[in-house]
C-alpha cells in the first residue's frame, strides 16, 4: 500500500490483525506511519481503541522527514497482546536515503501522549525496533526532542504465562515509564 493501512481523524474502535509490508512513500515531502497514521489537531477528540497484532516490515519514506515506520500517533495508544505473542520487527523510517529502525513515533507537539503496552491477559509483546517521540514541526521538517512522551506497562503479575514485554532496541526520548504488575525484559531476542 502506498498510503497508511489505517488512517483516522476521529474515533475508531479496536484494531486487531497483523500489519505486514505496508508503507507510505512521499518522494518530495514528509511521511508518517507506514501502517497506522493517528493524527488529531490540538483540542480534537481523536482516539483509537486497543491495537493488537504484529507489525513486521512496515516503513515510511520521505525526502524531508519520515517517522513511525509502523505507527505514528499524536494521541494516546495502547498495544495489547490479548493472550498471544505479538512482535514489532523490521519496521523503519527512510529520510532522504538514511534508514532508521523505528516502529512507533509518538508526536508530543499536539497533545501529551502516553504509549501503553498491555499484557494483562497473558501473551508477550516483543519489541525488536526502536520507539521514538518528540514534537514534530510539520513545516520545518524537524523534531523538537525537548517534548517527551510517557510509557505505561500493564501486566498481571510475575511468573510463567503472565505476559512479558521485551524491549530489544532503543526507547528514545521517553520522560517516564510506569509499570503496573508487568514483567519487563531488556536485551536481545534470540
Amino acid at each position: 500500500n502506498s498510503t497508511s493501512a489505517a488512517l483516522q481523524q476521529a474515533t475508531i474502535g479496536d484494531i486487531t490483525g497483523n500489519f505486514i509490508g505496508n508503507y507510505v512513500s512521499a518522494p518530495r515531502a514528509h511521511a508518517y506511519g507506514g501502517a497506522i497514521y493517528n493524527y488529531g489537531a490540538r483540542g480534537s477528540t481523536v482516539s483509537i481503541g486497543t491495537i493488537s497484532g504484529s507489525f513486521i516490515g512496515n516503513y515510511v519514506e520521505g525526502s524531508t522527514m519520515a517517522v513511525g515506520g509502523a505507527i505514528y500517533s499524536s494521541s494516546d495508544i495502547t498495544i495489547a497482546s490479548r493472550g498471544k505473542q505479538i512482535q514489532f520487527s523490521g519496521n523503519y523510517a527512510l529520510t532522504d536515503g538514511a534508514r532508521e529502525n523505528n516502529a512507533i513515533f509518538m508526536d508530543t507537539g499536539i497533545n501529551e501522549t502516553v504509549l501503553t503496552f498491555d499484557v494483562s491477559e497473558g501473551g508477550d509483546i516483543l519489541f525488536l525496533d526502536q520507539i521514538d517521540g518528540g514534537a514534530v514541526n510539520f513545516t520545518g521538517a524537524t523534531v523538537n526532542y525537548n517534548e517527551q512522551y510517557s510509557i505505561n506497562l500493564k501486566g498481571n503479575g510475575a511468573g510463567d504465562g503472565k505476559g512479558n514485554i521485551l524491549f530489544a532496541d532503543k526507547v528514545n526520548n521517553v520522560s517516564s515509564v510506569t509499570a503496573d504488575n508487568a514483567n519487563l525484559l531488556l536485551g536481545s531476542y534470540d
Side-chain angles (χ1 to χ4, degrees), residues 146-167:
N146 291 325
E147 297 190 40
Q148 300 172 314
Y149 63 102
S150 300
I151 290 180
N152 185 22
L153 309 173
K154 292 171 119 179
N156 64 356
D160 290 339
K162 297 289 187 175
N164 296 298
I165 302 165
L166 167 72
F167 292 121

Side-chain angles (χ1 to χ4, degrees), residues 31-36 59-60 66-72 92-93 102-105:
Y32 309 96
I36 294 176
Y59 70 94
V60 289
V67 293
I71 299 171
Y72 163 92
Y92 62 94
N102 173 251
I104 297 177
F105 188 90

Side-chain angles (χ1 to χ4, degrees), residues 25-180:
S25 181
R28 292 183 294 277
H30 315 319
Y32 309 96
I36 294 176
Y37 176 76
N38 183 42
Y39 173 81
R42 189 175 303 281
S44 70
T45 57
V46 171
S47 68
I48 200 167
T50 300
I51 301 168
S52 181
S54 292
F55 288 75
I56 300 169
N58 302 289
Y59 70 94
V60 289
E61 178 179 18
S63 62
T64 54
M65 177 188 292
V67 293
I71 299 171
Y72 163 92
S73 185
S74 66
S75 63
D76 300 348
I77 59 172
T78 298
I79 309 293
S81 59
R82 293 196 166 149
K84 299 179 181 173
Q85 184 179 84
I86 64 171
Q87 178 174 314
F88 284 75
S89 65
N91 301 291
Y92 62 94
L94 194 62
T95 302
D96 197 26
R99 180 181 167 142
E100 181 174 7
N101 293 332
N102 173 251
I104 297 177
F105 188 90
M106 299 298 290
D107 187 348
T108 58
I110 298 165
N111 303 298
E112 293 181 17
T113 54
V114 178
L115 174 57
T116 299
F117 294 100
D118 183 351
V119 293
S120 62
E121 296 176 32
D124 301 306
I125 298 175
L126 307 176
F127 221 94
L128 310 180
D129 297 325
Q130 290 183 29
I131 303 170
D132 205 352
V136 172
N137 175 338
F138 290 98
T139 57
T142 60
V143 176
N144 176 355
Y145 288 103
N146 291 325
E147 297 190 40
Q148 300 172 314
Y149 63 102
S150 300
I151 290 180
N152 185 22
L153 309 173
K154 292 171 119 179
N156 64 356
D160 290 339
K162 297 289 187 175
N164 296 298
I165 302 165
L166 167 72
F167 292 121
D169 207 329
K170 291 185 222 172
V171 178
N172 296 316
N173 205 38
V174 64
S175 64
S176 65
V177 176
T178 304
D180 179 16

